[in-house]
Amino acid sequence: MGGSTFALKGDIVYCTEDAGLVCAADSFAVCEDGRCAGVFSRLPPQYAALPVEDCSGCLVIPGMTDLHVHAPQYAFRGTGMDLELLDWLNSRTFPEEARFADLDYARESYRSFVGDLASGFTTRACIFATLHPAATLELMRQLEQTGLRTYVGLVCMDRNAPDSLRQPDAASAARDVRAWLEGCSSFVRTRPAITPRFVPSCTDGLMEQLSLLQKEFKLPVQSHLSENPGEVALVRELNPRAGCYGDAYDMFGLFGGGYPAVMAHCVYSSDEEIALMKRNGVFVAHCPESNVNLSSGIAPIRRYLDEGLHVGLGTDVAAGSSLSMPRAVQYAVQVSKLYWRLADSSCRPVSAVEAFFLATLGGGAFFGRTGSLLPGYAFDALVVDDRRIQPRRELPPEVRLERMLYAADERLIVRKYVEGMQITPSR
């Protein structure tokens, strides 16, 4: 399809900013210069001459945002799931990430990750790479060609890591980051993010250097927060001045407050930390499958939603086993039921509609007005042919949506748009 002004016809389902669900059967979503101009039961006169992509009978939904995923871990997903976080990092993750010093290996590994990401339900993502600048630039080059919109981070570590993955000191790490930032300045769809791996692997000196770079280049920040009890205890030991784990970022200006920041997990966030996240506008990347696989626990997502925090979903490959955002939706619903049953009966479970909101508008808000088909939002859309899983078309769109989310795979996607540009899913 040429151009980015057209109408898309189908059974349209999307969320509003208050997490309400809009269902518009046999309707038209109008894309005007890459943004949604509205959803209409009939095309208004001013749009009557637009080309129409007729996908009647299919669901049309917003694209989904993966707020937290590790590209170099894709090759070993689904392994080491009998381990907890710190042991899993040392025995599985760090040896694999060290291999990305070999650019040929990185190129092949990233080709698999990028191809599968582009063929799925994800239209935007926040991605961790490794500490290798050349390999990270290769990942960004591959992502740039897909049409997806992504943030990618050169991972920084200068303590508590093997020699092959530990930068010698803060100054050396900062030089690497600066050179990488200069190398990726021409990318349009794939942008950099400041990425301290997490507090245990970053000295105060490195945090100070990253804070200076964040301010100079005006970049978002991504990292991990309060994922595992052992990790939280280690942060308390390493950073006794910090009032909470989040404060160990905030004291260096790496915890939002005027720029986008996303923290993955937040399973064990204290009252103080929750208040700090809310005050600074920090996004929570809820990674339910990962938290189950590494026995980390269950994040209290209902509380975060009730507190008014920004929350989205992450696949967290390879602690999560799949890039599938519908699977992340399923897990978000399921673990919320367990939290309600086993931990806190006042935290009612997350509904399928709420989890769909987290996967679309909730996480998409990290990128701005993204994740809905409301007027003014980026026209990121998926056309999903659900006839293979539900041939009875008299069911209302909201029922079809829920069934699709629980039975979805990328083969159901027949069209994929990012800012009005059609991306052909690879098969």
Side-chain angles (χ1 to χ4, degrees):
M1 185 204 70
S4 59
T5 298
F6 61 97
L8 185 60
K9 185 180 182 183
D11 298 328
I12 301 167
V13 184
Y14 60 96
C15 286
T16 58
E17 292 169 350
D18 61 358
L21 190 69
V22 175
C23 300
D26 198 29
S27 295
F28 300 84
V30 173
C31 175
E32 191 169 26
D33 297 327
R35 306 201 77 80
C36 190
V39 173
F40 309 95
S41 58
R42 294 183 180 180
L43 281 177
Q46 67 268 35
Y47 301 126
L50 288 184
V52 175
E53 300 290 339
D54 192 348
C55 300
S56 296
C58 292
L59 290 173
V60 178
I61 63 174
M64 296 185 177
T65 293
D66 189 340
L67 270 187
H68 183 69
V69 60
H70 292 260
Q73 297 177 15
Y74 192 56
F76 74 94
R77 62 195 184 281
T79 64
M81 297 293 92
D82 56 332
L83 302 172
E84 290 194 50
L85 172 65
L86 298 180
D87 290 338
W88 180 78
L89 286 172
N90 288 318
S91 66
R92 301 299 176 110
T93 301
F94 290 157
E96 173 65 19
E97 291 192 3
R99 300 184 69 179
F100 284 72
D102 180 343
L103 186 56
D104 288 336
Y105 180 83
R107 185 176 294 111
E108 277 303 305
S109 181
Y110 284 148
R111 188 172 292 127
S112 175
F113 168 80
V114 170
D116 287 351
L117 189 72
S119 69
F121 284 74
T122 300
T123 50
R124 298 182 184 245
C126 295
I127 302 171
F128 279 54
T130 63
L131 56 72
H132 307 102
T136 302
L137 287 170
E138 173 61 27
L139 170 63
M140 296 178 80
R141 276 191 288 269
Q142 292 189 24
L143 286 165
E144 182 80 0
Q145 294 170 4
T146 66
L148 301 174
R149 300 298 188 270
T150 59
Y151 284 114
V152 173
L154 182 79
V155 172
C156 295
M157 298 188 287
D158 69 342
R159 68 178 175 188
N160 292 328
D163 291 345
S164 58
L165 285 177
R166 188 175 63 248
Q167 288 145 319
D169 51 52
S172 175
R175 286 194 296 270
D176 284 348
V177 174
R178 182 176 292 278
W180 163 66
L181 290 173
E182 292 169 351
C184 68
S185 61
S186 63
F187 296 138
V188 175
R189 305 178 186 95
T190 306
R191 303 301 302 144
I194 296 295
T195 308
R197 185 175 208 117
F198 62 166
V199 171
S201 67
C202 298
T203 63
D204 288 0
L206 177 52
M207 292 294 220
E208 290 171 353
Q209 291 291 327
L210 293 178
S211 179
L212 292 173
L213 288 166
Q214 186 281 319
K215 292 180 176 62
E216 179 182 349
F217 288 89
K218 297 178 172 54
L219 299 176
V221 171
Q222 59 177 351
S223 195
H224 300 84
L225 183 68
S226 299
E227 179 179 0
N228 172 279
E231 169 209 17
V232 174
L234 181 57
V235 170
R236 192 178 302 117
E237 176 186 334
L238 292 170
N239 296 73
R241 292 184 298 132
C244 60
Y245 193 157
D247 190 35
Y249 294 103
D250 193 47
M251 64 174 56
F252 298 106
L254 293 171
F255 206 64
Y259 61 87
V262 58
M263 295 285 155
H265 307 300
C266 306
V267 177
Y268 296 98
S269 294
S270 63
D271 291 347
E272 179 183 357
E273 188 163 278
I274 293 169
L276 185 59
M277 286 192 285
K278 183 175 182 179
R279 185 164 62 249
N280 287 8
V282 171
F283 279 71
V284 174
H286 178 37
C287 304
E289 186 190 7
S290 164
N291 296 156
V292 170
N293 285 340
L294 296 183
S295 304
S296 295
I298 303 172
I301 295 305
R302 169 60 59 203
R303 179 180 178 188
Y304 295 162
L305 292 175
D306 290 347
E307 293 270 4
L309 270 64
H310 299 295
V311 183
L313 297 180
T315 62
D316 195 24
V317 165
S321 63
S322 169
L323 293 173
S324 170
M325 287 301 295
R327 184 177 295 186
V329 168
Q330 298 168 36
Y331 273 100
V333 174
Q334 291 166 352
V335 302
S336 74
K337 294 177 180 178
L338 292 176
Y339 191 87
W340 166 73
R341 176 66 72 187
L342 301 175
D344 186 350
S345 61
S346 70
C347 284
R348 59 184 171 83
V350 173
S351 70
V353 169
E354 289 174 311
F356 176 64
F357 168 83
L358 297 181
T360 55
L361 200 156
F366 189 77
F367 288 79
R369 290 174 66 79
T370 300
S372 180
L373 293 173
L374 290 165
Y377 274 67
F379 198 91
D380 295 2
L382 303 166
V383 179
V384 182
D385 188 348
D386 61 329
R387 283 172 292 194
R388 186 168 60 85
I389 57 175
Q390 181 48 259
R392 293 178 58 199
R393 288 316 178 95
E394 68 272 17
L395 291 173
E398 59 267 30
V399 175
R400 289 168 54 198
L401 172 70
E402 185 171 4
R403 290 192 176 188
M404 182 276 293
L405 290 170
Y406 273 81
D409 63 55
E410 68 278 358
R411 290 172 296 178
L412 300 181
I413 302 170
V414 294
R415 293 177 185 268
K416 182 173 182 174
Y417 300 89
V418 181
E419 292 187 8
M421 182 180 72
Q422 185 176 343
I423 297 173
T424 303
S426 58
R427 295 286 183 261

